[in-house]
Amino acid sequence: MEFWRRHRRKIFVSCGVLGGGYFLYKLYGAHKQRLAEIESELANEHEKDEIIKRQLLEHFTNIQRIADSTTLPHTIQLLHTRLMNIVDLTGLRDRLLQVKGQSGGKTTLEKLELWERLKIQSFTGILLSLWALTTLSLYVRVQVNILGRHLYIDTARGLGSFLPVDEGNAVESHDQKQFLESIDFLSLSGLSALVTKVQAAVTEIMKGKQLRDHFTPQVLREIFLQISETFMSSGTPHEWIDFLMPVEVGFSDLATTRTSSQMIQDETKFNQLMMETRAVLSSAEFRDILEVSLKTVISSLVEDTNQQVPQLSSGIPLAKLLPRVAQMGPTLLMETSRDRYINIIYKIPDVEFFFTQLYANMPVL
């Protein structure tokens, strides 16, 4: 008892220190274990993120490859066929050959009228091809980037799934496939109205140009640019978008064999994709890269024409240039020329930067 009385305080202090130390030791051990668990979870999450990123990159690359190698060539070939039927110069050329060498006041007037129609139709054909090729190549890239962004977000939320992608199965869901196929809207529905608008712009710019007027590469380039700018600035600011895509999309556009719930889900997703596409096309940034791309393609086309028609450098009469202009429209949409000009568009620095930013910052409406 005497020992307890004399050392009681020391014992309490020692026990307190030992107890506190043990408690801190256990707390440190638990904390260390928790840190190890967190590090393990983070490592697992990082590994999952890396797997998702690899899957996304592979899937996105496949969609882009299919869009470039299948979707875009198909729609441009369809467009080429439709344009050849709408802007057909065969009848005009045949009639000009028939009246060639004939004389008389009536015949002279007919010749002048035929040449005027040939002038308007020839420039309408080449401007349609220029505009459609440039716009569709940018449009399909917008689609691919929007799909890529949605794949990333859906996968991050645990909503996405990856199925094998091949040439026969471009994307794994109905709405994505339908979204890519909507690029055919121009060829199937919007082309007639587009032809009318472009022809009006051509008529406005070319009405004062005479067959004897001399054209140089600089003059030809300026004519193309003026027609393009006149067309793009006519009507409402975004009227040209209605040639590319429908204003509204309804259930009639979806497969009727699907269940109501599937149709509603696809309707919502498809409409969202289309809304985002229209928002991008309506942006000032897209308008800027479209203008830059058109100017670049026009400059490249004029350079190619100058190499193929050396006399153009010093200037040739419009009458001698028209046959070449008439040929350029269909040629521009053929495989060799098409791929060359599309590659030129995709290599424009402003275009590359735009699509990098689009994929990184695409908002989800």
Side-chain angles (χ1 to χ4, degrees):
M1 292 297 293
E2 182 66 23
F3 178 82
W4 173 254
R5 282 195 297 272
R6 282 189 296 135
H7 298 285
R8 178 174 59 184
R9 183 167 182 162
K10 295 179 181 178
I11 293 173
F12 281 142
V13 171
S14 298
C15 288
V17 170
L18 290 174
Y22 180 75
F23 174 76
L24 290 174
Y25 171 77
K26 295 294 289 183
L27 184 64
Y28 172 74
H31 179 68
K32 189 174 181 181
Q33 183 178 356
R34 180 56 184 157
L35 284 177
E37 291 174 354
I38 291 175
E39 288 177 357
S40 177
E41 290 175 2
L42 288 175
N44 290 335
E45 288 297 323
H46 179 72
E47 184 179 355
K48 289 179 182 178
D49 287 342
E50 290 300 316
I51 293 173
I52 289 173
K53 287 177 182 178
R54 287 195 298 269
Q55 289 177 323
L56 282 169
L57 179 60
E58 179 182 358
H59 198 78
F60 177 71
T61 301
N62 283 334
I63 292 177
Q64 183 164 299
R65 172 179 55 81
I66 292 167
D68 289 344
S69 64
T70 304
T71 307
L72 187 56
H74 163 77
T75 197
I76 290 179
Q77 180 58 45
L78 177 61
L79 177 70
H80 176 259
T81 302
R82 294 274 288 124
L83 272 177
M84 291 294 290
N85 293 330
I86 294 176
V87 188
D88 186 8
L89 303 177
T90 305
L92 285 174
R93 288 195 292 258
D94 290 346
R95 183 55 187 159
L96 275 170
L97 289 174
Q98 288 176 7
V99 299
K100 184 179 180 180
Q102 296 181 11
S103 59
K106 185 176 180 180
T107 304
T108 301
L109 288 175
E110 184 182 3
K111 286 181 184 178
L112 291 175
E113 181 185 348
L114 288 171
W115 275 107
E116 185 67 19
R117 288 171 57 192
L118 182 63
K119 177 183 71 175
I120 299 301
Q121 290 290 83
S122 297
F123 275 86
T124 297
I126 184 59
L127 261 298
L128 280 167
S129 297
L130 272 170
W131 189 86
L133 176 67
T134 303
T135 308
L136 287 175
S137 61
L138 295 174
Y139 182 25
V140 76
R141 278 297 169 95
V142 170
Q143 288 185 317
V144 168
N145 278 272
I146 288 176
L147 279 180
R149 182 68 173 174
H150 274 270
L151 286 170
Y152 176 82
I153 292 172
D154 288 349
T155 303
R157 292 174 177 171
L159 302 176
S161 62
F162 294 92
L163 298 180
V165 177
D166 54 41
E167 296 293 339
N169 179 27
V171 285
E172 77 281 4
S173 68
H174 176 263
D175 54 287
Q176 291 178 6
K177 184 175 185 293
Q178 187 186 21
F179 177 57
L180 286 178
E181 290 174 348
S182 68
I183 196 174
D184 285 337
F185 179 84
L186 172 62
S187 300
L188 299 176
S189 303
L191 189 57
S192 296
L194 175 62
V195 170
T196 301
K197 294 287 288 187
V198 172
Q199 188 168 348
V202 169
T203 302
E204 180 178 341
I205 299 302
M206 296 297 296
K207 61 185 177 183
K209 303 296 184 294
Q210 304 298 320
L211 294 176
R212 62 179 178 273
D213 291 346
H214 276 60
F215 274 58
T216 63
Q218 294 76 16
V219 172
L220 183 60
R221 179 179 183 275
E222 188 60 31
I223 291 294
F224 285 156
L225 288 175
Q226 287 178 0
I227 296 172
S228 177
E229 290 168 3
T230 300
F231 160 67
M232 291 295 290
S233 61
S234 65
T236 59
H238 302 133
E239 182 181 357
W240 57 271
I241 300 176
D242 296 337
F243 303 133
L244 290 175
M245 58 188 303
V247 178
E248 296 179 356
V249 180
F251 281 111
S252 59
D253 298 304
L254 298 173
T256 56
T257 56
R258 299 171 69 80
T259 65
S260 297
S261 61
Q262 287 174 321
M263 289 177 67
I264 292 173
Q265 182 179 1
D266 276 352
E267 168 78 359
T268 303
K269 186 69 172 181
F270 177 61
N271 272 323
Q272 184 178 12
L273 292 169
M274 295 295 282
M275 286 170 59
E276 291 184 21
T277 302
R278 182 171 283 271
V280 172
L281 298 186
S282 302
S283 68
E285 293 80 7
F286 184 84
R287 178 66 176 255
D288 289 343
I289 69 157
L290 177 55
E291 290 180 358
V292 169
S293 300
L294 282 169
K295 289 178 180 178
T296 302
V297 172
I298 286 172
S299 296
S300 299
L301 181 63
V302 171
E303 289 175 9
D304 292 345
T305 305
N306 192 29
Q307 291 178 0
Q308 297 163 11
V309 186
Q311 306 94 313
L312 185 62
S313 297
S314 56
I316 61 174
L318 177 58
K320 291 186 177 181
L321 181 62
L322 275 181
R324 180 58 194 165
V325 173
Q327 293 174 2
M328 288 194 304
T331 302
L332 192 62
L333 298 179
M334 293 179 180
E335 185 175 352
T336 303
S337 297
R338 176 196 72 209
D339 294 345
R340 178 176 179 276
Y341 289 113
I342 288 175
N343 287 331
I344 288 173
I345 293 169
Y346 289 161
K347 290 179 181 178
I348 299 172
D350 288 349
V351 173
E352 291 181 335
F353 179 76
F354 174 83
F355 285 114
T356 299
Q357 292 295 104
L358 177 64
Y359 184 70
N361 303 313
M362 174 65 66
V364 178
L365 303 178

